[in-house]
Amino acid sequence: LLRTGWFGNDTGFASGGRPRARWGRPPPRGRGQGCSMARAAAPPAAQTLVDVLTWAEIEAMLPLTATASSAHGEQSGPKLTLYRDTNGWCPFCERVWLGLREKNIPFDEVLINLYDKPQWYKDMVPTTMVPAIKFAGSGEVVWESDAILRRLDEAFPEAGPVLFREPEQLADAKLLIDRFMNASMGISYSVGNRTEAEIDAKRVTLVQAIDDLDGRLRAGGPFLLGAELSAADCMAVPMLERYGVQMPFTAAGVKLRDAGRWPGLAAWYDAMESRPSYASRVQGDAYSWTVVAPVMMRLFGGQNGTLSGPAADRADRAAQAARALLDEMVLDAEAGASAKGPAPAGSPRAEAAAKLVANHEAVVRDATSTTPKSQ
């Protein structure tokens, strides 16, 4: 919930549109450094719940100091404002989001409805895309994820790790990531008109790219530049996070998180998830990435949103896996809550609960609406 836009306008975070449910927003196409408008996708079917707490009862359970504040960082007073997509799906926004949290820079955020961007944002950012940042003092505006991360190093040299260090190693790591991403095209969400033989050939190229990436991580991990997180990891994690869940359901049929096959890459995933800056807020969950996989397949590979043949079978497998994950979540919810105990005040769990309670009316409207979601 901290990642999504479900707490939207009603809490003063979003600009330009009502909050949107999380499913259905694909990553942007092409080589850009930002996100723009998404196509529509319908939400999953509503489920009947019984014996649930009322919203008033949930609110009474919140820690006394739980808040729905939009400021992030340990120090008081935001140093800048981050403009990102309403639902936390844009991979380019995720890069900057992680960089800010890793460097512990206090920031405020404004959520931009990608389907209906406000005019003031289009006037402020020449590309009109997210992410962008605006410094609190000077009013300087920076856009595109790479440029923003570099500017954070310049403006806050003492804050957190230097993201752009060891330029030669950084360039080598970026090359490996680009090679992996290029190899994944045409064998992930869409295969176009490729024959099975052509798909097999692309799979060989993809596996080789993963081998090369794994080799680098085994030689000098756990992160792409060694012991400390860098800009390379910020740039790599958004799509590796998605592919780590979704790729087994695609034509690639590859399980990236296979410690026996790719131990360096598995250790990298573990290292990323050990960092609170990533795991407590930025990282997406397995259910969301699984349930959206067939949506992505229909958006990128379907004819008017319809799949057939092997592509339809792959989408069905992803949908079935999502339903199984949801069933597990429902069955484990009570036991999990008991095992975790009350959420400590100030924790991500407490903040998420406070935001959900504060904006529950908008959440209910969005979750029960039959209108397709723009993002």
Side-chain angles (χ1 to χ4, degrees):
L1 288 167
L2 290 179
R3 183 185 168 87
T4 69
W6 268 2
F7 36 89
N9 276 351
D10 291 10
T11 56
F13 284 43
S15 297
R18 68 183 181 88
R20 303 289 181 180
R22 181 169 172 177
W23 38 78
R25 166 70 176 100
R29 305 185 186 194
R31 58 170 295 277
Q33 293 284 335
C35 293
S36 190
M37 186 176 72
R39 294 172 65 185
Q47 295 197 14
T48 301
L49 301 177
V50 296
D51 299 328
V52 297
L53 296 172
T54 67
W55 288 105
E57 290 171 329
I58 296 173
E59 185 171 11
M61 296 168 64
L62 292 175
L64 292 178
T65 56
T67 66
S69 170
S70 61
H72 305 276
E74 295 298 327
Q75 303 116 316
S76 60
K79 303 295 184 183
L80 55 86
T81 298
L82 168 65
Y83 301 89
R84 65 173 180 88
D85 59 319
T86 308
N87 48 19
W89 276 62
C90 170
F92 305 104
C93 293
E94 186 173 336
R95 294 174 175 181
V96 177
W97 196 5
L98 176 58
L100 284 166
R101 289 184 54 78
E102 188 67 28
K103 292 174 79 69
N104 198 29
I105 299 169
F107 67 98
D108 205 345
E109 62 183 7
V110 173
L111 306 181
I112 302 298
N113 180 352
L114 302 187
Y115 194 74
D116 184 20
K117 296 174 188 171
Q119 187 60 47
W120 62 262
Y121 186 79
K122 293 188 283 187
D123 292 339
M124 183 179 74
V125 180
T127 63
T128 76
M129 298 203 297
V130 293
I133 63 170
K134 183 176 182 178
F135 285 89
S138 65
E140 175 190 2
V141 177
V142 186
W143 55 92
E144 297 197 355
S145 58
D146 184 277
I148 294 172
L149 290 174
R150 290 181 185 276
R151 187 68 183 94
L152 294 180
D153 271 352
E154 295 170 358
F156 306 98
E158 305 301 322
V162 177
L163 299 175
F164 284 87
R165 61 183 186 274
E166 304 179 56
E168 291 186 5
Q169 290 195 41
L170 187 64
D172 290 344
K174 187 176 183 301
L175 184 63
L176 289 173
I177 293 297
D178 288 346
R179 189 178 301 158
F180 164 76
M181 288 304 303
N182 289 335
S184 74
M185 299 302 171
I187 197 175
S188 52
Y189 305 123
S190 171
V191 298
N193 296 319
R194 291 179 177 85
T195 64
E196 288 301 317
E198 291 170 331
I199 292 173
D200 289 341
K202 285 196 68 66
R203 188 180 296 110
V204 170
T205 302
L206 174 63
V207 168
Q208 183 59 61
I210 302 171
D211 285 343
D212 294 343
L213 179 60
D214 179 72
R216 179 186 180 89
L217 290 165
R218 282 189 286 111
F223 298 105
L224 284 163
L225 294 194
E228 261 196 299
L229 182 141
S230 72
D233 303 292
C234 291
M235 293 177 182
V237 73
M239 288 310 299
L240 282 175
E241 172 188 311
R242 292 155 172 76
Y243 278 164
V245 176
Q246 296 172 342
M247 195 163 273
F249 303 110
T250 69
V254 171
K255 184 181 179 182
L256 289 179
R257 303 192 66 161
D258 182 346
R261 180 68 176 84
W262 292 299
L265 187 55
W268 177 84
Y269 277 111
D270 290 341
M272 289 299 303
E273 291 172 359
S274 72
R275 303 190 77 85
S277 60
Y278 173 66
S280 70
R281 190 182 303 259
V282 177
Q283 182 184 14
D285 63 281
Y287 169 73
S288 292
W289 292 136
T290 305
V291 78
V292 81
V295 177
M296 307 275 282
M297 295 175 191
R298 289 193 294 271
L299 287 174
F300 289 122
Q303 295 293 325
N304 296 319
T306 302
L307 297 170
S308 60
D313 293 339
R314 291 190 290 267
D316 286 343
R317 284 196 296 272
Q320 291 167 12
R323 284 192 290 272
L325 281 172
L326 186 59
D327 288 342
E328 289 179 20
M329 291 164 62
V330 172
L331 291 173
D332 294 344
E334 184 175 349
S338 300
K340 289 180 179 179
S347 68
R349 286 171 57 203
E351 189 180 345
K355 288 189 175 180
L356 174 59
V357 170
N359 203 42
H360 70 269
E361 292 181 357
V363 174
V364 171
R365 285 197 305 270
D366 225 26
T368 58
S369 171
T370 59
T371 304
K373 304 297 184 284
S374 68
Q375 299 181 51

